[in-house]
Amino acid sequence: MGSVDTRMTGSGLQKTAYFALVALILYVTFTGGA
Amino acid sequence: MAKRYGGAYSPDSAASDQPTQGAPSTARPRAPLHNARPARAGARVNLLFLAPLPLVGLAFFRDPPQMALSLAGAGLLLAAAWLTREGVAAHAAYDARKVARRPAFPRKIFASVLTGAGLAAAGLVQGSMVEAAIYAGLGVALHLASFGLDPLKNKGAEGVDTFQTDRVARAVSEAEAQLAAMSEAIDRVRDRRLSDRVERFQATAREMFRVVEEDPRDLIAARKYLSVYLRGARDAADKFADLYRRNGDATARTDFEALLDDLEQNFAAKTTALLSDNRTDLDVEIEVLRDRLAREGVKMDRD
């Protein structure tokens, strides 16, 4: 107990990476990779 | 004077009218979400299921080879999203336990690879091999950065043989199954106060699980609680739910709540006893070390 777990809730890097991943999937989806 | 807001149908209204009912007098009041943690496999993972869906629709406006690639990409990305959700849930379960084995199948790592493969397939629709490889590499890296690796090490099993930890893990998962069945039975009654009451008992029971996980030797002492009493509680909850749903018997409800009070007090007392056993262990350990140190001192004097 005591320490706060920030693995998925807090870290800015993880959030940025996550949104970049979603954006990448959408980009490749709509452009077909060209 | 400030007065807590509440109407006839507020969850706690009946409890505040009759303060003697419900909570056991000795138990300390506990927040309803005491020890609870938010589920990690939430909205963030669900968005991964949505993102590749346009690929399915777009596939049918493309040439056959491109269509096949688009559909393959969508399938791989959806499979990756599903694996990610499983992996995040497994990681949360690993974190919640004091003693846990690493997952036999590293779901999140495999999901990263699948994401890369899906992006490569989708990228080949219009792009070259090089571009597809870049998308795949980016996808793997970003997936790993946002969801992390699976737990790769066993936790809390140092110095304890796997046979013992397995026995504890099995006992705890059986006990958890009883608790789940109990919740299911009480949820049939559709009474929030009763559900809360049962949840409070379950929180007390789970505290005992954690203590046993920490020290597998406690399993022998706690075995009866984890199996016999919990099974009894489950059966009682089942029968009570059937009866109460049929005729709303108030005495049955009082009896059932009294049973929960008794169970909770007993579980809490046993947990305290198990912890004080650990305390004795610590005392013995200190004693032995001190003795040995003292003996060393004597030896040094002799030298």
Side-chain angles (χ1 to χ4, degrees):
Chain A
M1 305 292 140
S3 67
V4 177
D5 195 343
T6 55
R7 196 178 358 257
M8 279 295 283
T9 46
S11 160
L13 175 74
Q14 282 170 345
K15 272 187 191 155
T16 315
Y18 170 74
F19 287 115
L21 176 66
V22 173
L24 178 70
I25 292 175
L26 288 175
Y27 171 79
V28 176
T29 295
F30 284 107
T31 62
Chain B
M1 280 282 276
K3 191 171 182 297
R4 187 173 172 174
Y5 174 78
Y9 299 105
S10 297
D12 301 338
S13 63
S16 53
D17 290 341
Q18 310 157 348
T20 48
Q21 229 184 2
S25 49
T26 52
R28 59 185 186 279
R30 218 195 275 279
L33 292 176
H34 177 77
N35 271 352
R37 299 220 167 174
R40 292 223 182 84
R44 205 176 287 190
V45 179
N46 291 341
L47 200 52
L48 285 186
F49 282 99
L50 294 179
L53 284 185
L55 210 50
V56 180
L58 287 171
F60 295 98
F61 297 96
R62 290 172 174 166
D63 303 334
Q66 293 181 344
M67 180 168 92
L69 277 173
S70 303
L71 288 178
L76 286 169
L77 286 170
L78 287 174
W82 177 74
L83 256 187
T84 308
R85 189 164 68 185
E86 298 292 309
V88 172
H91 201 152
Y94 175 92
D95 282 342
R97 283 170 175 66
K98 289 240 162 83
V99 175
R101 296 265 211 105
R102 68 191 161 86
F105 176 60
R107 298 174 180 85
K108 287 200 280 187
I109 297 173
F110 204 73
S112 299
V113 176
L114 276 184
T115 305
L119 281 172
L124 275 176
V125 171
Q126 305 276 339
S128 63
M129 285 298 266
V130 179
E131 284 165 333
I134 293 173
Y135 295 134
L138 274 177
V140 172
L142 287 175
H143 191 280
L144 280 179
S146 47
F147 294 101
L149 297 173
D150 298 271
L152 294 173
K153 270 191 274 183
N154 294 342
K155 182 169 76 167
E158 303 88 12
V160 186
D161 56 314
T162 46
F163 177 69
Q164 287 281 11
T165 22
D166 278 357
R167 259 173 36 139
V168 170
R170 217 167 28 238
V172 167
S173 62
E174 274 164 26
E176 282 286 354
Q178 306 283 11
L179 291 187
M182 199 174 170
S183 296
E184 218 167 86
I186 290 303
D187 285 346
R188 287 206 306 261
V189 179
R190 296 185 158 277
D191 183 315
R192 178 142 166 207
R193 257 187 65 220
L194 269 177
S195 299
D196 284 353
R197 183 70 198 82
V198 168
E199 258 168 41
R200 222 168 48 227
F201 162 67
Q202 292 178 337
T204 313
R206 287 203 176 98
E207 269 172 30
M208 179 184 273
F209 300 172
R210 298 294 95 83
V211 170
V212 173
E213 280 175 345
E214 205 164 272
D215 188 354
R217 286 168 302 171
D218 286 340
L219 181 62
I220 299 158
R223 180 121 237 173
K224 215 194 290 172
Y225 285 80
L226 294 190
S227 56
V228 180
Y229 295 151
L230 278 187
R231 199 176 315 134
R234 202 234 13 225
D235 289 346
D238 216 20
K239 294 206 172 84
F240 163 75
D242 286 345
L243 188 72
Y244 192 71
R245 232 160 35 121
R246 220 174 298 138
N247 56 11
D249 189 348
T251 33
R253 185 188 175 123
T254 323
D255 287 350
F256 181 65
E257 283 181 342
L259 170 73
L260 283 179
D261 290 350
D262 285 352
L263 275 172
E264 189 171 340
Q265 278 168 21
N266 274 302
F267 268 76
K270 187 70 191 174
T271 307
T272 320
L274 292 176
L275 281 174
S276 71
D277 263 12
N278 292 353
R279 177 67 223 230
T280 321
D281 285 351
L282 174 69
D283 288 347
V284 168
E285 197 88 9
I286 290 173
E287 196 79 0
V288 168
L289 251 178
R290 278 214 169 125
D291 271 5
R292 291 190 65 175
L293 281 174
R295 233 176 290 154
E296 290 292 316
V298 170
K299 222 172 156 190
M300 270 165 61
D301 282 349
R302 233 186 282 152
D303 291 342

